[in-house]
Amino acid sequence: MPRTLHIPIRIVLSLGVTLALMLHASGFQPLALVDQLESFAYDARLRLTLPGGVDPRIVIVDIDEDSLLQEGQWPWPRARLAELTNILFTDYRVRLLAFDIVFPETERNPALGILQTLAQGPLRADPAFQREWAVLRMQWSGDERFAGSLQKRPTVLGYSFALPGQQGQDLQVGQLPPAAAPLTVLAGAPNPFAVAAGYSANLLLLQASAHGGGFFNSPLVDQDGLIRRLPLLLSHGDRLYENLSLAVLRTLMDGPPLEMIAGAGYRDAAGQRVEAVRVGVFVMPVDAEGAVLIPYRGPQGGFPYLSARAILNRQADSRVLNGAIVLVGTTAAGLLDLRATPVQSIYPGVEIHANLIAGMLDQRLKYRPPFTSGLETLLLLMLGGLSIALGFASPLKALLGTLLLAVATVAFNLCAWQVLNWVLPLASMLLLLLLLYVLHNSYGYLIQARRERHLTRLFGQYVPRELVAEMSRQPGGYALGGESREMTVLFSDIQDFTTLSETLDPHQLTRLMQFILTPLTQVIHEQRGTVDKYIGDAIMAFWGAPLPDSAHARHAVQAALAMQARLEELTPELRAHGWPSLHIRIGVNSGAMSVGNMGSEFRMAYTVLGDA
């Protein structure tokens, strides 16, 4: 194939790869593989830049295995939870208490059931009984005691939502907390928050006693099962309900209203899209589904853990709890609150909320800026063009150039990640560089191999292998068509060969010719000569074609001298075979000659003609 056809094919293939990734970046043709690789790239950056350490502002009171051994299986009596709450606020003076637990059912107490039946029935008009009943109800009712411990304190209860199509979508148990805001707060912008269907909430008595509530589950788990983000809000009916982490933040701030920030960068056919939620001085950027990326500190242990058993026994360190935000959760495997995350495959769900609360307080939430798609498309176009240009460089330069582009891309991406908290696409650009590098090198290798096979067929018997490889690297340095060049030609024959041939039988003559011509031809090849033909005992060779040779005369003379020396070295072996000593005559001449493929329609040969 002519070289002029190779360039367009290579460019077309490269542009096709670049266009496919640009369509993915713009959202016209999403590619699942690229999305998966992007998740891997996000996880790698997250793990690479984990801040680590322990944040003392948030303490996790853990219903762990030791606590279950002491207090018995879950659920615990509500009176015991009331005691836990009172101890935390009274003895340890915590700042806020949130439960990553839902209490949807009334605690059962058969004795209270009998007394309640009497109080509402036969003894309804008995003042003395009613007074005793009121006292006994507070003493014996775990729900009443737990509710009393929550009242007039900064407490937050958790609950769960289910989206349409998910398990529990038809379930509506308990009492939802007051909504964070009505849908009208969106001010005409499209609602980015997922619409919840069913819910499992807390008892009315408990929820009414707490300061607030927030859903703790994440219906937006990624396809690989990892939790990288949490919905900040969910809509139910005509209201918006807040995540447990946001409920904790608003409770700390005494419940400021939500404000939606819609950015022009997200403008589409439906109007501006909500890009962030502001609560007082805190701004939480959200994605197209109203979710925030979780700013993990590291593997489990980024916050102080205290066993609930130690709290109930008043054995905890008061310095750890004093003024802290406390989240009550569990790491016990049997209570099923362990999640898969990018930083650890088994991770307590309660610590996920602790990470998000800390991230909101520090304002270090990562987010994808509104111009992400346009920037990714532009970078893909730029990298694609540079990679196409590198594809025509030498293999070493192409490799170094591709590595340089990859390093620059990663450095720019990490700088935006660390300094600006931007999550910019990375996998698509690295994939483009890799694909184009492999494409160009594979294409070049195939073309090179085909060219070498073609040259080997044409010249393999006439020129040394090294010269064939050099011709392949310099396709413009030779021509098969006839042309005039200044060259040197060499003729050699064996002295008195006719007489000698008459004394040998055909088999011995063939062996003798092969024995002599092979080393002499090797000498010619060593001096970059091209063997034109063998004429009986004679050798015709030339220098200066197919590749130009500015020292063609010197190489030809050196070959002639080396041929005579090599023949003298063969004399002992000739005698060993019973052959006589041989002498060769060599003629060398330089001048203008015509060189190229010459012959007839039946047979062609690469040779030289001319008076010289």
Side-chain angles (χ1 to χ4, degrees):
M1 183 180 292
R3 181 174 180 267
T4 54
L5 295 180
H6 296 162
I7 298 177
I9 294 176
R10 185 181 297 191
I11 292 177
V12 167
L13 292 175
S14 301
L15 290 178
V17 173
T18 306
L19 180 61
L21 290 173
M22 289 173 63
L23 290 175
H24 166 81
S26 61
F28 286 107
Q29 187 60 50
L31 301 173
L33 175 61
V34 180
D35 288 335
Q36 185 177 6
L37 293 175
E38 200 62 65
S39 296
F40 292 154
Y42 174 83
D43 295 347
R45 285 171 287 175
L46 182 67
R47 289 190 290 265
L48 180 65
T49 59
L50 290 173
V54 177
D55 188 342
R57 296 173 299 177
I58 304 170
V59 177
I60 296 173
V61 172
D62 187 10
I63 302 174
D64 55 6
E65 299 292 351
D66 287 342
S67 301
L68 294 177
L69 286 174
Q70 173 180 290
E71 300 296 328
Q73 66 180 9
W74 188 262
W76 291 348
R78 302 282 165 81
R80 200 60 169 152
L81 293 174
E83 186 177 355
L84 177 69
T85 303
N86 289 327
I87 291 173
L88 286 169
F89 278 105
T90 304
D91 293 18
Y92 293 109
R93 301 182 182 278
V94 300
R95 183 179 179 186
L96 179 145
L97 177 62
F99 285 87
D100 186 24
I101 304 168
V102 62
F103 306 99
E105 299 176 348
T106 303
E107 187 177 56
R108 295 181 181 179
N109 189 323
L112 279 178
I114 296 172
L115 291 175
Q116 184 173 5
T117 301
L118 293 174
Q120 295 176 351
L123 299 178
R124 181 171 50 188
D126 188 334
F129 181 83
Q130 292 295 332
R131 286 194 299 271
E132 289 298 325
W133 162 241
V135 174
L136 291 173
R137 184 177 60 187
M138 289 298 298
Q139 291 178 349
W140 290 4
S141 172
D143 292 335
E144 293 281 356
R145 291 183 63 181
F146 189 27
S149 70
L150 298 174
Q151 288 178 351
K152 298 180 181 179
R153 286 170 170 169
T155 54
V156 179
L157 295 182
Y159 64 97
S160 64
F161 265 129
L163 299 186
Q166 294 181 335
Q167 185 178 2
Q169 63 174 347
D170 299 325
L171 192 66
Q172 294 191 356
V173 176
Q175 176 64 45
L176 289 175
L183 278 177
T184 53
V185 75
L186 296 173
N191 179 17
F193 306 107
V195 178
Y199 57 84
S200 179
N202 294 283
L203 289 173
L204 173 60
L205 173 64
L206 299 179
Q207 188 58 71
S209 301
H211 186 281
F215 61 90
F216 50 67
N217 64 315
S218 175
L220 301 179
V221 179
D222 290 341
Q223 290 185 349
D224 55 5
L226 300 185
I227 295 181
R228 298 181 177 90
R229 56 193 182 132
L230 287 175
L232 195 64
L233 297 160
L234 289 177
S235 63
H236 181 73
D238 59 352
R239 293 176 175 83
L240 293 173
Y241 293 85
E242 57 197 335
N243 182 282
L244 179 64
S245 304
L246 181 58
V248 168
L249 179 66
R250 293 184 67 228
T251 301
L252 287 173
M253 302 174 65
D254 201 22
L258 301 181
E259 179 185 352
M260 301 295 164
I261 301 175
Y266 290 110
R267 185 180 297 276
D268 54 22
Q272 293 184 343
R273 202 198 83 189
V274 174
E275 66 174 87
V277 177
R278 178 183 286 127
V279 177
V281 297
F282 299 102
V283 177
M284 282 69 71
V286 297
D287 60 19
E289 295 179 285
V292 290
L293 292 168
I294 302 168
Y296 289 100
R297 294 187 64 84
Q300 180 183 352
F303 303 87
Y305 274 77
L306 293 175
S307 173
R309 176 188 59 80
I311 304 295
L312 290 169
N313 295 334
R314 292 177 171 83
Q315 296 173 343
D317 188 348
S318 59
R319 293 172 297 178
V320 176
L321 287 167
N322 190 10
I325 301 168
V326 174
L327 304 182
V328 178
T330 179
T331 61
L335 298 185
L336 304 177
D337 192 32
L338 300 176
R339 304 288 183 257
T341 69
V343 295
Q344 193 171 327
S345 59
I346 301 177
Y347 195 86
V350 63
E351 191 167 346
I352 294 177
H353 291 286
N355 280 285
L356 183 53
I357 294 168
M360 291 190 293
L361 290 173
D362 295 336
Q363 289 292 274
R364 58 178 180 87
L365 298 177
K366 307 290 185 187
Y367 68 101
R368 294 177 174 86
F371 50 80
T372 298
S373 178
L375 179 60
E376 182 182 8
T377 303
L378 180 62
L379 290 176
L380 286 171
L381 181 61
M382 181 182 70
L383 291 175
L386 292 174
S387 295
I388 291 173
L390 286 173
F392 296 99
S394 66
L396 179 60
K397 290 182 179 179
L399 176 60
L400 294 177
T402 301
L403 290 176
L404 181 62
L405 288 177
V407 169
T409 301
V410 172
F412 170 74
N413 196 283
L414 286 177
C415 182
W417 172 282
Q418 281 291 84
V419 178
L420 303 173
N421 285 325
W422 290 353
V423 181
L424 299 179
L426 179 61
S428 60
M429 283 165 275
L430 295 182
L431 180 63
L432 176 66
L433 292 174
L434 175 63
L435 290 177
L436 292 187
Y437 176 77
V438 172
L439 171 65
H440 286 296
N441 277 271
S442 300
Y443 189 86
Y445 174 79
L446 294 174
I447 295 302
Q448 180 87 353
R450 184 172 64 177
R451 184 182 295 130
E452 288 189 4
R453 289 195 301 269
H454 177 66
L455 292 174
T456 301
R457 285 197 304 269
L458 290 176
F459 298 102
Q461 296 180 344
Y462 309 108
V463 300
R465 184 180 301 272
E466 295 78 8
L467 204 59
V468 173
E470 187 175 338
M471 293 166 63
S472 177
R473 292 192 297 269
Q474 304 178 31
Y478 67 93
L480 297 179
E483 61 175 319
S484 179
R485 286 188 183 181
E486 186 74 17
M487 299 172 56
T488 297
V489 65
L490 177 149
F491 286 92
S492 74
D493 71 345
I494 299 174
Q495 183 177 340
D496 299 327
F497 179 76
T498 302
T499 303
L500 174 63
S501 63
E502 292 174 352
T503 64
L504 300 174
D505 61 52
H507 177 68
Q508 288 183 317
L509 182 61
T510 301
R511 288 180 57 204
L512 175 62
M513 293 306 303
Q514 185 174 3
F515 183 79
I516 296 300
L517 295 180
T518 297
L520 297 182
T521 302
Q522 187 176 14
V523 169
I524 294 172
H525 284 175
E526 288 172 356
Q527 296 297 326
R528 298 176 61 85
T530 300
V531 175
D532 185 309
K533 60 177 68 74
Y534 301 109
I535 311 170
D537 61 314
I539 301 176
M540 175 181 175
F542 54 81
W543 280 258
L547 285 179
D549 184 358
S550 59
H552 53 83
R554 177 187 297 274
H555 290 150
V557 171
Q558 289 174 343
L561 296 174
M563 290 168 68
Q564 289 182 329
R566 181 68 59 87
L567 190 59
E568 290 181 6
E569 295 172 358
L570 294 175
T571 298
E573 295 187 46
L574 288 171
R575 292 174 179 173
H577 285 85
W579 295 324
S581 301
L582 299 178
H583 302 281
I584 57 172
R585 298 173 296 193
I586 302 175
V588 177
N589 186 43
S590 297
M593 307 176 194
S594 296
V595 61
N597 262 343
M598 301 180 185
S600 67
E601 294 181 359
F602 302 98
R603 184 175 180 181
M604 301 288 289
Y606 190 78
T607 187
V608 291
L609 296 176
D611 292 339

